[in-house]
Amino acid sequence: MARRLVWLGLWCSALLAVCTPLQAQVRSYDSIVESGVLKVALYQDFAPYSFQQDGKSRGVDYEVAEALAAGLGLRLEVIWAPPGEKLDDDLRDYIWRGHYLRPHELADVMLRVPYDREFSYKSNEFGELVNELVVMFGPYQRERWQVAFDRRRLDAVPSVAVFQRHPIGVEVESVPSFYLSSVKDGMLSQQTHHYSNVQQAFAAMKAGEVDAVMALRGEVDWQLKLAADEQLALAENAYPDMGKQVWDIGMAVHESNRQLAYALEEKLEELILAGELKRIYGHYGLRYELPGLYQEVE
């Protein structure tokens, strides 16, 4: 009987080992340098920040990652990351634990992470830090929400109140979608049209289905560059009752890899001060705004 219990215990242990994915290993800074490769997680299909076109990697974040890797004397290797439901999921899958489909693969660093103290120290219902295994650092861009409109059908956008009478396009399940559907007691909801992505929203504006589009400023700038239509204009309205409307974008590494964070921060500052990031953003038709950390220096 005892021997059968021992074998049963061994069998259960073996089964557990097979069914449970091994914890992905975080590469130390020395291991990264020795490998000659910097593994960077970039969001997939997220133009103009990171995307692939005609088999080539493109985007602002891709070129920033390439410049950072080169600054460290390393070759860039991109890990394309389909966005999860929450940023916490993405940080878990690509920075500290690994995705179940890629249990042994972690990125050394992830780009386009909010540089926000409140988010960094967010707690769960038990008072535990949600992202205690992650260090968020290196702000490299300030982001905002933006409305673009067609002057053939709309003279100006002094406030969001105009969208009680004019239809506006947004990406489904996005912040603009929730905002325009709820602000002013839902008075704009009937004129808020939802599309799979920002590109489709702009196509709808071109077709006359909507008179304006609201999205991230970078996405709007990119679509305006592609459209090359002088009748499309940028609005300068505010967004009452929206909450956070301006935030900084940075990077994230595993909390054990602060040495990599320090090295990347040093190279990033060189790129910003040399005007290299402004050049990269301009290449895609995007306006570049310094993050708050560097605005304070000025």
Side-chain angles (χ1 to χ4, degrees), residues 54-76:
D54 299 327
K56 295 183 179 180
S57 299
R58 296 195 63 201
V60 167
D61 288 348
Y62 173 76
E63 292 195 23
V64 170
E66 203 171 37
L68 288 171
L72 296 179
L74 302 172
R75 177 176 59 83
L76 172 64

Side-chain angles (χ1 to χ4, degrees), residues 74-140:
L74 302 172
R75 177 176 59 83
L76 172 64
E77 180 180 318
V78 175
I79 296 177
W80 292 105
E85 290 186 7
K86 299 183 297 183
L87 176 60
D88 302 332
D89 299 334
D90 300 335
L91 293 172
R92 177 198 63 217
D93 291 346
Y94 297 99
I95 293 298
W96 62 267
R97 192 180 75 182
H99 194 278
Y100 70 94
L101 293 176
R102 300 172 301 279
H104 306 299
E105 183 179 50
L106 285 176
D108 302 316
V109 58
M110 186 169 192
L111 267 61
R112 198 143 295 274
V113 174
Y115 181 74
D116 181 85
R117 181 177 177 82
E118 184 177 335
F119 180 82
S120 298
Y121 291 95
K122 183 175 67 171
S123 299
N124 60 21
E125 63 271 25
F126 305 109
E128 303 165 331
L129 290 178
V130 175
N131 295 302
E132 64 175 346
L133 296 177
V134 177
V135 173
M136 300 175 208
F137 69 102
Y140 60 90

Side-chain angles (χ1 to χ4, degrees), residues 21-282:
L22 296 174
Q23 177 76 38
Q25 294 299 307
V26 178
R27 300 199 303 166
S28 68
Y29 181 64
D30 289 341
S31 297
I32 294 169
V33 172
E34 185 177 349
S35 73
V37 173
L38 181 68
K39 296 182 179 182
V40 181
L42 300 177
Y43 281 115
Q44 184 176 315
D45 299 327
F46 194 20
Y49 306 108
S50 47
F51 61 106
Q52 291 178 296
Q53 187 176 55
D54 299 327
K56 295 183 179 180
S57 299
R58 296 195 63 201
V60 167
D61 288 348
Y62 173 76
E63 292 195 23
V64 170
E66 203 171 37
L68 288 171
L72 296 179
L74 302 172
R75 177 176 59 83
L76 172 64
E77 180 180 318
V78 175
I79 296 177
W80 292 105
E85 290 186 7
K86 299 183 297 183
L87 176 60
D88 302 332
D89 299 334
D90 300 335
L91 293 172
R92 177 198 63 217
D93 291 346
Y94 297 99
I95 293 298
W96 62 267
R97 192 180 75 182
H99 194 278
Y100 70 94
L101 293 176
R102 300 172 301 279
H104 306 299
E105 183 179 50
L106 285 176
D108 302 316
V109 58
M110 186 169 192
L111 267 61
R112 198 143 295 274
V113 174
Y115 181 74
D116 181 85
R117 181 177 177 82
E118 184 177 335
F119 180 82
S120 298
Y121 291 95
K122 183 175 67 171
S123 299
N124 60 21
E125 63 271 25
F126 305 109
E128 303 165 331
L129 290 178
V130 175
N131 295 302
E132 64 175 346
L133 296 177
V134 177
V135 173
M136 300 175 208
F137 69 102
Y140 60 90
Q141 177 222 331
R142 176 153 284 188
E143 188 63 275
R144 299 172 182 267
W145 299 109
Q146 177 72 60
V147 167
F149 65 97
D150 193 324
R151 287 187 288 210
R152 284 167 291 229
R153 298 186 296 276
L154 185 57
D155 293 332
V157 183
S159 75
V160 294
V162 300
F163 300 120
Q164 294 180 59
R165 303 179 304 278
H166 292 271
I168 181 170
V170 296
E171 184 175 8
V172 66
E173 294 187 352
S174 64
V175 171
S177 168
F178 294 122
Y179 172 69
L180 292 171
S181 298
S182 60
V183 72
K184 294 185 177 294
D185 297 323
M187 293 176 64
L188 313 182
S189 60
Q190 290 189 346
Q191 295 285 16
T192 302
H193 296 216
H194 297 84
Y195 300 92
S196 298
N197 52 50
V198 177
Q199 182 180 354
Q200 288 188 10
F202 264 80
M205 182 162 62
K206 181 179 180 181
E209 295 176 16
V210 296
D211 298 341
V213 171
M214 182 177 176
L216 291 171
R217 178 173 61 181
E219 292 180 298
V220 169
D221 286 351
W222 171 245
Q223 291 299 323
L224 290 179
K225 176 181 172 66
L226 295 179
D229 186 341
E230 294 183 356
Q231 292 302 312
L232 300 183
L234 294 168
E236 297 181 1
N237 60 289
Y239 306 101
D241 303 320
M242 188 180 193
K244 197 155 198 170
Q245 302 181 32
V246 178
W247 64 100
D248 290 339
I249 296 295
M251 301 179 274
V253 298
H254 192 275
E255 61 87 21
S256 67
N257 217 348
R258 294 175 187 268
Q259 188 176 359
L260 173 61
Y262 298 146
L264 287 170
E265 261 183 334
E266 182 179 347
K267 296 304 174 185
L268 175 64
E269 184 169 330
E270 292 175 4
L271 293 170
I272 290 175
L273 297 179
E276 182 62 14
L277 262 70
K278 185 175 182 179
R279 183 200 66 77
I280 291 173
Y281 277 68

